């Protein structure tokens, strides 16, 4: 039995995933009684973080005084160590900023490097909070649609070049890609860097899923693809997806270029931002040899879940789960069923009693999809695929 097999009841713990699923999707969560909904939506895992993270929190609790945090050298060194040992990426500890998670990091990038009315390019479908944040900031979303090839989503830069109007000032890349799971190749990443340069765009590379690549795939941090892109590059990383500590809201914005860095620092100062000590303690503890060993146990577990889920779903005629190269999010296309979006969504939510993210929220190209989170004990994956097979049993 794996440590990840433990079914931890999260109902009634202010978990957005379990305690909001009825309100958002009409799927009542498991409550120990007759209700038996399965939460497979928002990207957090149903697992505890490694012991090193729990112990760091415990020592804070034992000490029991929660004043302002100071002297962040060991925290910065832990991040530097992680990027070097896990991603072969050398960073300067001075280049690290700490934000309240990465959606906050994106928001500050928009405020720092773009002006109201500017166009911000997204390769869609993509993580939904990007578009929401861009629009809320009064900037315009410019959707460059991904195409579908053998390996999943692909980019078509000729088409994107033709779309540019000159008012675009930023492009946000999701690497690895959520929801498609692509680990972009060196050539594709070079294509993005060249595209940013051709159109004079700041390139924000959100690499939050970088640790969760499936066996056989290697993530390439953008600076390793093209060192000369650093003068327009902002890197986003976080321990939150990797270690399941998203509630700590700790994200890292890493900027090598001194001019870009000074602008970002000024904006953070203007917003009066400083980090939360709980997030800093957890991050430092996670980015350690013990944290690394835990990730090395987690990824193979997720890989088996992915294979089981894909096999179960792909056995249903008309359903197609995109080949996942990374993340714990399966992107399932229902277009082959010939059903309307309302009908397949209704079957998933009301017959299979599963809450999954709706495709259209990810932008153009997502209409016929639902996104399922498989970072949950394996027994639930088996249960989910059985319920889906029953809900679409008439297609067999
Ligand atoms: C690509 C991407 N960026 C950012 C986030 C969220 O980051 P945070 O919780 O740190 O705001 C997610 C969450 O799923 C994500 O997939």
């Amino acid at each position: 039995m794996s440590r990840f097999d433990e079914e931890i009841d999260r109902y009634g713990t202010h978990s957005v995933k379990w305690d909001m699923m009825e309100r958002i999707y009409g799927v009542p969560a498991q409550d120990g009684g007759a209700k038996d909904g399965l939460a497979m939506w928002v990207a957090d895992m149903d697992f505890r973080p490694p012991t090193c993270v729990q112990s760091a929190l415990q020592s804070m609790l034992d000490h029991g005084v929660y004043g302002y945090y100071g002297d962040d050298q060991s925290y910065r060194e832990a991040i530097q160590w992680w990027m070097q040992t896990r991603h072969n990426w050398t960073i300067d500890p001075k280049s690290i900023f700490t934000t309240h998670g990465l959606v906050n990091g994106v928001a500050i990038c928009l405020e720092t490097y773009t002006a109201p009315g500017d166009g911000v390019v997204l390769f869609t479908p993509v993580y939904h909070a990007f578009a929401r944040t861009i629009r809320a900031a009064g900037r315009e979303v410019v959707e460059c649609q991904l195409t579908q090839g053998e390996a999943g989503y692909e980019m078509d830069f000729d088409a994107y070049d033709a779309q540019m109007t000159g008012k675009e000032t930023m492009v946000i890349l999701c690497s690895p890609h959520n929801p498609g799971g692509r680990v972009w190749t060196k050539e594709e990443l070079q294509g993005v860097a060249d595209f940013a340069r051709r159109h004079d765009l700041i390139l924000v590379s959100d690499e939050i899923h970088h640790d969760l690549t499936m066996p056989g795939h290697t993530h390439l941090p953008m600076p390793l693809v093209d060192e000369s892109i650093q003068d327009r590059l902002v890197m986003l990383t976080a321990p939150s997806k990797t270690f399941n500590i998203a509630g700590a809201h700790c994200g890292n914005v890493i900027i090598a270029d001194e001019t870009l860095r000074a602008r970002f620092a000024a904006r953070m100062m203007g917003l009066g931002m400083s980090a939360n000590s709980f997030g800093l303690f957890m991050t430092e503890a996670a980015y350690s040899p013990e944290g690394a060993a835990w990730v090395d146990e987690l990824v193979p577990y997720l890989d088996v879940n992915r294979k089981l889920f894909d096999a179960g779903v792909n056995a249903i005629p008309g359903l197609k789960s995109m080949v996942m190269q990374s993340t714990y999010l399966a992107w399932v296309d229902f277009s082959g069923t010939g059903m309307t979006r309302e009908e397949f969504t209704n079957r998933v939510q009301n017959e299979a009693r599963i809450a999954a993210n709706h495709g259209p929220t990810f932008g153009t190209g997502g209409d016929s999809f639902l996104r399922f989170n498989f970072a949950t004990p394996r027994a639930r994956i088996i249960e989910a695929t059985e319920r889906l097979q029953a809900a679409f049993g008439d297609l067999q």
Side-chain angles (χ1 to χ4, degrees), residues 43 101-103 127 130 174 178 206 208-209 240-241:
L102 289 189
V103 176
Y127 175 53
F130 291 158
C174 190
N178 168 15
D206 181 336
I208 196 168
H209 297 283
S240 48
K241 299 292 150 192

